[in-house]
């Protein structure tokens, strides 16, 4: 089921998410909903808090569905290691229409659980590392705007306030 994606300003986006503790059919359904919502948006990643669910679950597919074997569904992901730096333009489905240059690690190692609760580790670089870091940030109540310069952040927030005032947000 395609869910509504919360936009910047929703308090749910600023909360620390609770760990996944029960790995059952409802978690699998949530993962399916996240994937369907992400693909429909379209995007390359989505976190449960973005649809108002306060749980540590993310989905990422940097191929946007072009390569089904590339999609990741991760419960309780956490960064174990990071190396190097990359700067690139980044956007967010919760902040539609805006992008900014964000610095992220070039290479990362992540520990997580799959939908059965089995532990896994994965290494990622480049765009996949960026997407994973972005979605893990969502689980900690951090938006990419929190990682840009104050000047850029204030400019985007001003534009969003204007859109809100006009009823277009």
């Amino acid at each position: 089921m395609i869910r509504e994606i919360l936009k910047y300003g929703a308090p749910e986006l600023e909360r620390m998410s609770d760990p996944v503790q029960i790995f059952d059919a409802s978690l699998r359904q949530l993962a399916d909903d996240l994937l369907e919502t992400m693909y429909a948006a379209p995007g390359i990643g989505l976190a449960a808090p973005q649809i108002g669910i306060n749980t540590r679950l993310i989905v990422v597919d940097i191929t946007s569905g072009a390569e089904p074997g590339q999609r990741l569904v991760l419960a309780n992901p956490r960064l174990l290691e990071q190396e190097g730096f990359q700067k690139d333009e980044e956007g967010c489905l919760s902040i539609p229409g805006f992008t900014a240059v964000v610095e992220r690690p070039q290479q990362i190692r992540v520990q997580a659980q799959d939908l059965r609760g089995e532990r896994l580790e994965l290494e990622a670089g480049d765009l996949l590392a960026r997407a994973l870091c972005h979605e893990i940030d969502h689980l900690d109540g951090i938006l990419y705007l929190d990682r840009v310069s104050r000047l850029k952040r204030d400019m985007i927030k001003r534009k969003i306030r204007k859109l809100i005032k006009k009823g277009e947000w």
Side-chain angles (χ1 to χ4, degrees), residues 13 34 61 65 84 89 96 98 101 104 110 120-121 124 134 139 143 151 161 164 166:
L13 296 174
L34 282 169
D61 182 352
E89 205 70 24
F98 295 94
V101 174
R104 298 278 187 187
V110 173
L120 59 94
E121 279 189 21
H134 179 107
L139 302 179
L143 297 172
L151 183 65
R161 279 194 294 273
I164 291 170
K166 291 162 62 175

Side-chain angles (χ1 to χ4, degrees), residues 10-155:
E12 295 89 341
L13 296 174
E14 297 177 18
R15 291 190 187 121
M16 183 73 89
S17 297
D18 295 330
V20 174
Q21 295 181 4
I22 300 171
F23 295 82
D24 62 4
S26 65
L27 183 67
R28 289 188 294 281
Q29 183 60 57
L30 175 58
D32 288 344
D33 290 355
L34 282 169
L35 286 164
E36 193 174 344
T37 303
M38 175 186 71
Y39 290 133
I44 63 168
L46 194 64
Q50 290 180 274
I51 61 168
I53 308 294
N54 185 33
T55 195
R56 297 185 78 78
L57 183 69
I58 65 171
V59 296
V60 172
D61 182 352
I62 61 170
T63 73
S64 300
E67 297 177 37
Q70 296 300 308
R71 71 182 192 192
L72 296 171
V73 178
L74 303 175
N76 303 320
R78 65 185 186 94
L79 233 46
L80 295 177
E81 294 177 15
Q82 53 187 1
E83 183 178 303
F85 296 99
Q86 59 171 310
K87 280 187 173 188
D88 207 346
E89 205 70 24
E90 202 167 300
C92 179
L93 295 175
S94 291
I95 312 172
F98 295 94
T99 61
V101 174
V102 179
E103 186 176 284
R104 298 278 187 187
Q106 183 65 40
Q107 290 285 131
I108 61 171
R109 192 161 60 92
V110 173
Q111 183 181 73
Q113 291 170 277
D114 65 17
L115 290 175
R116 294 179 313 275
E118 301 292 323
R119 288 207 177 283
L120 59 94
E121 279 189 21
L122 63 106
E123 293 185 9
D126 305 317
L127 180 58
L128 182 55
R130 173 175 296 283
L132 287 167
C133 287
H134 179 107
E135 299 311 327
I136 291 170
D137 271 357
H138 274 298
L139 302 179
D140 296 328
I142 298 169
L143 297 172
Y144 84 87
L145 284 183
D146 299 319
R147 299 201 178 272
V148 300
S149 72
R150 181 182 207 115
L151 183 65
K152 181 71 172 177
R153 181 173 47 247
D154 289 346
M155 183 186 74

Side-chain angles (χ1 to χ4, degrees), residues 8 98 154-169:
Y8 174 80
F98 295 94
D154 289 346
M155 183 186 74
I156 292 173
K157 285 181 177 182
R158 247 189 329 277
K159 289 179 178 180
I160 290 171
R161 279 194 294 273
K162 284 181 184 177
L163 289 172
I164 291 170
K165 217 176 211 178
K166 291 162 62 175
E168 297 174 6
W169 187 251

